[in-house]
Amino acid sequence: CHAFRSPLGSVAGYVDFLFQYSKKLPQEHWGNLIEVRDAARQMNRLVDSFLQVAAFDLGVAKLKTSPVDLVDVAREASKELQERLRRNRVRLRTDLRRKSLPLNGDPEWLKSLICCLISNAAQDIPNGTTINLKLGARNGEARISIQDKGMKPVGPLKNTFRPFLEARRPNDGSRPDIGGGLELALVERIAKSH
């Protein structure tokens, strides 16, 4: 864990330092600095996802189950991602008409689940695209629905949740389906643990 996070912490620290003095940088370098910051944040999210998937697979993931309202959790997750989505010119439309959706679960893991679903939907979609998040319940089970106009799943559905295998590709088939593929693997593990 330390071997992954320590180098990323150094990069993030230096980027924060540079942002403090960015007014002294020529304008043409600001874009580069923002790219480095965003890449460091993305790498940090990947490391977190990798470690979280590993914790579930090793049976050491700790859930703190308590009564929780999934509508509140979805609002928190949406709020947390709004800035990143806005920067990428992606809109998030939430259908949270239900006043509440009570269940027993770990609020932090459930928030991670919703954030992973939204982040996955936001990958490789055109600017101006809208992602729809909807909550519901059927047969005593909570339902979370995400819709986007991005890449379509390819191959067997079971591959959707395999680590390191992205089961989506652009509609034109221009990109192979091998890649990070950790967010949906984490979603599956969190959902099964609840």
Side-chain angles (χ1 to χ4, degrees):
C1 180
H2 176 73
F4 289 117
R5 292 181 194 256
S6 183
L8 283 173
S10 296
V11 170
Y14 284 121
V15 169
D16 288 342
F17 174 78
L18 289 171
F19 263 107
Q20 290 177 356
Y21 297 97
S22 63
K23 292 182 178 160
K24 296 179 182 179
L25 286 175
Q27 184 73 24
E28 65 266 14
H29 295 300
W30 282 13
N32 295 344
L33 189 57
I34 290 170
E35 282 186 43
V36 171
R37 180 200 63 197
D38 290 349
R41 287 178 178 172
Q42 174 65 18
M43 194 64 200
N44 204 18
R45 285 190 296 272
L46 285 172
V47 167
D48 285 345
S49 294
F50 175 78
L51 294 173
Q52 290 168 342
V53 167
F56 275 102
D57 288 352
L58 294 171
V60 296
K62 292 181 172 63
L63 274 73
K64 296 176 185 167
T65 304
S66 64
V68 63
D69 185 347
L70 195 57
V71 172
D72 290 341
V73 172
R75 282 193 180 107
E76 283 182 43
S78 300
K79 186 176 178 181
E80 186 174 301
L81 292 174
Q82 277 300 344
E83 176 59 25
R84 193 169 90 200
L85 294 172
R86 188 190 61 73
R87 276 196 317 267
N88 294 329
R89 291 185 224 117
V90 173
R91 290 186 302 273
L92 177 62
R93 182 181 304 138
T94 55
D95 182 354
L96 304 176
R97 286 181 269 172
R98 294 183 66 104
K99 290 186 178 182
S100 70
L101 189 52
L103 55 87
N104 285 320
D106 183 307
E108 289 305 313
W109 281 115
L110 290 169
K111 185 167 97 174
S112 291
L113 179 146
I114 293 171
C115 284
C116 285
L117 285 171
I118 295 169
S119 294
N120 186 71
Q123 291 178 18
D124 301 317
I125 60 175
N127 289 343
T129 301
T130 299
I131 297 170
N132 295 300
L133 167 66
K134 184 177 181 180
L135 298 181
R138 188 172 4 156
N139 300 328
E141 293 183 340
R143 303 282 177 159
I144 302 169
S145 170
I146 298 281
Q147 293 178 325
D148 66 78
K149 301 228 187 252
M151 298 183 296
K152 304 295 181 218
V154 297
L157 189 58
K158 65 182 178 181
N159 288 346
T160 302
F161 302 104
R162 285 184 50 203
F164 308 111
L165 182 68
E166 290 185 14
R168 293 166 37 124
R169 68 170 56 136
N171 293 332
D172 64 2
S174 62
R175 201 183 91 194
D177 58 350
I178 301 298
L182 289 168
E183 288 181 324
L184 292 180
L186 182 58
V187 164
E188 178 191 42
R189 284 150 177 81
I190 295 170
K192 284 183 175 179
S193 71
H194 283 80

